[in-house]
Amino acid sequence: AFHENGLTNKKEDRVKVIFYPIYNHGSDGLLNLEYYECIQGSHLGVFPSFYEPWGYTPLESAALGVSSVTTDLSGFGRFFKETLAGKRDPGVYILDRFGKGDDDVVAALTDVFDRYVSFERRERVENKIAAYTLAAQADWSVFIKHYFTAHTQALAKHYSA
C-alpha cells in the first residue's frame, strides 16, 4: 500500500514511513532499538484507533516529547479533546472519529499530515514541548487520587448493601 501511494522512502522524500511488524526490542534484527528509543527517534506517532480503552501509545509518545495523532475513540483522546480544542500547537492531534465515516477520518488525518510536514523546525519543537507538557497532566501522580476515590466509593457501596 505504501508503494501504491508513492511512499517509497526515497532520500528526497519529505515523509518517511516505517511499518514495524514486531514488538521493538534491542535485538529484533530490524532496527535493533528498544521501544522507547524507537519512539524518541520519530517525529510523529500515528494511532488512529477504532477503540482504545485509554490509549497508552499517544501518552507514551507525548511523555517522550513526540507529537502524535489519536482519535476521540480512545480514552486518552476523549479525555484531552476539550483541553486541546482550537490549539495551534497541541502536541497531540485528536481526530473526530466518533460517528464519522472513513472518508472523513482519512481526510482529517491527511490534513494533519499535510500540516505537520510543512512545519518549520520551531513549530515542530513547539509541538514537542506541548506534547510533553500534556503528558504531565496524565501522570500517575495526578491520577492516583481518582483511583483512591473510586476504590473508597466501591468499598462503601459494597459494604452498605
Side-chain angles (χ1 to χ4, degrees):
F2 290 149
H3 283 273
E4 289 171 9
N5 289 287
L7 297 170
T8 56
N9 290 345
K10 289 182 260 168
K11 185 176 181 176
E12 63 272 12
D13 291 345
R14 289 191 60 155
V15 174
K16 304 289 192 286
V17 179
I18 298 173
F19 172 68
Y20 210 77
I22 56 177
Y23 190 78
N24 305 72
H25 57 82
S27 59
D28 56 36
L30 191 56
L31 292 180
N32 295 325
L33 295 172
E34 295 293 331
Y35 176 69
Y36 294 120
E37 292 172 325
C38 191
I39 290 174
Q40 287 175 311
S42 301
H43 285 286
L44 183 68
V46 183
F47 314 104
S49 301
F50 280 109
Y51 171 74
E52 288 277 349
W54 175 247
Y56 280 104
T57 47
L59 175 58
E60 289 171 332
S61 295
L64 294 169
V66 176
S67 297
S68 63
V69 181
T70 189
T71 74
D72 62 357
L73 293 182
S74 73
F76 180 80
R78 291 184 79 102
F79 185 80
F80 283 110
K81 187 173 180 176
E82 287 184 29
T83 302
L84 299 178
K87 290 203 173 185
R88 179 175 157 23
D89 298 308
V92 175
Y93 298 86
I94 301 171
L95 303 177
D96 290 326
R97 192 162 197 168
F98 186 76
K100 302 285 184 182
D102 288 344
D103 290 342
D104 293 332
V105 177
V106 168
L109 183 58
T110 302
D111 288 345
V112 171
F113 288 165
D114 187 53
R115 181 167 180 239
Y116 201 83
V117 299
S118 67
F119 278 166
E120 299 292 328
R121 184 177 193 280
R122 176 190 53 77
E123 293 168 304
R124 284 194 310 273
V125 169
E126 288 169 357
N127 268 278
K128 287 177 156 295
I129 293 167
Y132 184 78
T133 302
L134 182 73
Q137 296 175 42
D139 189 79
W140 182 249
S141 65
V142 176
F143 281 174
I144 190 143
K145 63 184 173 201
H146 302 296
Y147 285 87
F148 285 134
T149 300
H151 182 261
T152 302
Q153 289 173 350
L155 287 176
K157 185 174 182 178
H158 175 75
Y159 288 111
S160 69

